[in-house]
Amino acid sequence: MDPITLGYIGIGLVVTLVVLGVPVAFATAFTGICGLMMIRGFDVTVGLAGIIPYSESAHYSLSVLPLFIAIGFLAMHAGITTSAYNAARVWVGRAPGGLATATIFASAGFAAVSGASTASTAVFTRLALPEMEKRGYDQALAAGVVAVGGTLAALIPPSAILVIYGIIVEESIGALLLAGFVPGLISILVYLLVIATVVTLKPELAPKLERTSMLEKLKTIPQLAGIMLVVGVILVGIYFGIMTPTESAAVATAIMFIMALAKKISFADLRLGLLDTVKTTVMIFMVIWGVLVFVRFLAFTGLPGMITDSVIGLDVPRWVILMAVVVLYLLMGMVLDGIGMMMLTLPVIYPAIVGLGYDPIWFGVLLVKLIEVGVVTPPVGLNCYVVNGIRPDIPLHKIFKGVAPFLVGEIVIIGIIILFPDLILFLPNMMR
C-alpha cells in the first residue's frame, strides 16, 4: 500500500477509536504499532516502540510536569485554595456578581499553583458553587462560572498543557510559560466583564453581599501570601534566568509542601495529594508515549511533509489557512479532550503553521486557548461534565446555558490573541 494512503488510514483509525471511547494513549499506540509493522516490519517496530517509553521519559524537560502537578494537589488538599477563595470573597464580594467574580479570581490563584483545568473545576465545584447557591445565585450562572474559571489553568503559569506542547514541538518551556501570562490576565478581565454585563442586565441572577470593612480585607492578605510567593518564584526565576523551569518548579513545590505542613495537613490528605499527582502524571506520560509511537509511524509515511508542502503552496493568504485551523480546533474541541486533540493534530498542523511563518510560541498559546474553549463547549465540554459529575442534581443543559455568555467572551479573547501577537510574545522576547 502507498505510504501516504496508509498515513491517512492511520489518522482515520485513530479518530474513529477515540470517538468510540478508546483512550488516546491506547488508540495512538495501537495504530502506530500496526502501521510501523506494515511499513518497516516486526523487528524495527519492536525496537522503536520498545525504546520510546524510556527515551522520551528520560528527558530533563519532562521532569517539570510532575512537579507542577504536585503543587496543585498539595494546595488543594492542604486547604490553601479555600483560603484564597475566602480572601477573594471578602475583597470583591460586594461588587455586582461578587461571588462569581471572587470565583474567577480564586480560580486564577489556583491556576497559578496548579496547571490542571479539570482539577481547578473540581475544586471550585465543591468550594464555590454551594456558596453561590446559598447566597441566592442563579444555579446556571454559578455552574457556568465554575466551569469557565477552570480554563484559566491552561494559560496562567504553571500550565501543564503548555509544557506538553513545548515537549512535543521542542520549544522553550520557559518562553511558553511566560507567553501564557498576559493572555491569562486578558482572559480574567474578559470573564469579569461578562459577569458584570450579565448581572447588570439581570440583577436577580446574583444578589449583592454584605459590605466588609477594610480591616477585614487586610486580615485576608496573609492567606494569599503563599500563592503569591509560588507564582513569584516561578515567573521571576524563569524570566531572569535564575532557574530553569524545572528548578523553579522544584523550589515552588518545596514551598508548597512547607506551607501544607504549616497548615497541619493530615497524613491521609498528604498521601491522597501525592497519589493524585502520580496518577495524573502517569496518565499524561502514557498519552505522550502512545502519540510518539504514532508520530514515528506518520514520519515513515511522509504524510506530514506532504501536507505541509501542500498547505504552503496554496494560493491563498496565510490568514485564511490560520482561520481554517482555528475553526478546525473549535469543532474538534466539541468531541475530543484537549490533550488528545493537541497530540493528534500537532504532527500534521504544526509544521504547516511554522512553514507559513507563524511564531511557534504564539501558536502554542493560541492552540491552548482553543483547546480550553473546547472543554466548555457542548456536546463534550469536559469541564461541564466535571461539574455535573460532582453535582449530578445540576443537569448538563443548565451548565452549558451558564457557560454560553462566556463563549462570546472567548471569541473576543481569541481575536485579541490573533490580532495582537506582540501581547503574547513581548515577555518571552524580553527574556531572550
Side-chain angles (χ1 to χ4, degrees), residues 24-102:
V24 171
F26 300 138
T28 51
F30 172 76
T31 305
I33 289 172
C34 291
L36 283 170
M37 290 181 67
M38 294 180 68
I39 295 176
R40 304 294 296 178
F42 179 80
D43 291 340
V44 173
T45 300
V46 171
L48 282 172
I51 201 173
I52 281 175
Y54 170 75
S55 63
E56 298 304 326
S57 302
H59 286 180
Y60 174 73
S61 57
L62 262 179
S63 59
V64 75
L65 266 177
L67 292 170
F68 279 159
I69 293 168
I71 293 172
F73 281 119
L74 285 172
M76 180 173 68
H77 289 291
I80 294 168
T81 308
T82 304
S83 299
Y85 177 68
N86 290 335
R89 178 176 56 80
V90 170
W91 277 92
V92 300
R94 180 64 181 170
L99 273 181
T101 299

Side-chain angles (χ1 to χ4, degrees), residues 123-136:
V123 167
F124 287 98
T125 300
R126 295 185 177 94
L127 179 63
L129 187 52
E131 184 71 16
M132 285 189 277
E133 289 176 317
K134 187 171 71 175
R135 300 285 184 158

Side-chain angles (χ1 to χ4, degrees), residues 72-403:
F73 281 119
L74 285 172
M76 180 173 68
H77 289 291
I80 294 168
T81 308
T82 304
S83 299
Y85 177 68
N86 290 335
R89 178 176 56 80
V90 170
W91 277 92
V92 300
R94 180 64 181 170
L99 273 181
T101 299
T103 301
I104 295 296
F105 277 123
S107 296
F110 185 76
V113 294
S114 170
S117 177
T118 52
S120 179
T121 302
V123 167
F124 287 98
T125 300
R126 295 185 177 94
L127 179 63
L129 187 52
E131 184 71 16
M132 285 189 277
E133 289 176 317
K134 187 171 71 175
R135 300 285 184 158
Y137 272 58
D138 177 72
Q139 196 175 59
L141 173 64
V145 168
V146 168
V148 170
T151 66
L152 293 170
L155 285 175
I156 297 177
S159 166
I161 198 166
L162 276 175
V163 171
I164 295 170
Y165 171 86
I167 292 167
I168 297 301
V169 304
E170 298 181 350
E171 281 294 333
S172 166
I173 303 296
L176 282 164
L177 292 176
L178 288 176
F181 186 69
V182 172
L185 293 180
I186 293 171
S187 296
I188 294 171
L189 292 175
V190 171
Y191 294 162
L192 297 183
L193 285 173
V194 171
I195 292 170
T197 302
V198 169
V199 173
T200 300
L201 293 175
K202 294 184 176 180
E204 68 277 8
L205 297 181
K208 283 189 175 183
L209 300 186
E210 65 279 0
R211 292 185 182 276
T212 54
S213 67
M214 181 55 67
L215 180 61
E216 290 177 290
K217 293 176 180 178
L218 293 176
K219 286 180 179 178
T220 65
I221 291 179
Q223 298 177 17
L224 301 174
I227 289 178
M228 293 171 66
L229 179 60
V230 169
V231 175
V233 165
I234 293 172
L235 290 179
V236 173
I238 294 173
Y239 181 82
F240 289 103
I242 301 169
M243 296 178 283
T244 66
T246 300
E247 290 167 346
S248 65
V251 173
T253 304
I255 292 171
M256 187 57 67
F257 180 69
I258 292 170
M259 288 171 56
L261 294 179
K263 284 269 189 179
K264 294 182 170 50
I265 185 173
S266 67
F267 178 77
D269 284 337
L270 179 60
R271 179 177 177 273
L272 188 58
L274 295 177
L275 280 175
D276 286 341
T277 299
V278 172
K279 290 176 183 177
T280 305
T281 302
V282 170
M283 180 272 292
I284 293 174
F285 272 52
M286 287 186 67
V287 172
I288 293 174
W289 297 338
V291 169
L292 287 176
V293 171
F294 182 64
V295 167
R296 297 291 191 278
F297 157 63
L298 287 182
F300 278 115
T301 67
L303 181 61
M306 188 273 288
I307 292 177
T308 299
D309 293 339
S310 300
V311 170
I312 294 175
L314 291 174
D315 188 22
V316 295
R318 67 174 190 162
W319 66 265
V320 174
I321 298 172
L322 179 65
M323 289 300 102
V325 170
V326 168
V327 172
L328 172 67
Y329 274 113
L330 289 176
L331 293 175
M332 289 180 67
M334 296 179 182
V335 294
L336 294 175
D337 71 279
I339 292 178
M341 179 170 62
M342 181 178 72
M343 303 285 272
L344 289 175
T345 55
L346 276 180
V348 175
I349 289 180
Y350 177 77
I353 289 293
V354 174
L356 290 170
Y358 289 106
D359 187 282
I361 300 293
W362 168 84
F363 179 68
V365 172
L366 174 63
L367 172 59
V368 168
K369 187 61 190 176
L370 293 171
I371 287 172
E372 288 308 301
V373 173
V375 300
V376 292
T377 306
V380 174
L382 187 59
N383 280 15
C384 298
Y385 277 86
V386 170
V387 176
N388 176 253
I390 297 172
R391 290 289 305 274
D393 58 302
I394 306 178
L396 270 172
H397 69 84
K398 182 176 283 190
I399 301 171
F400 285 124
K401 177 185 175 184
V403 165

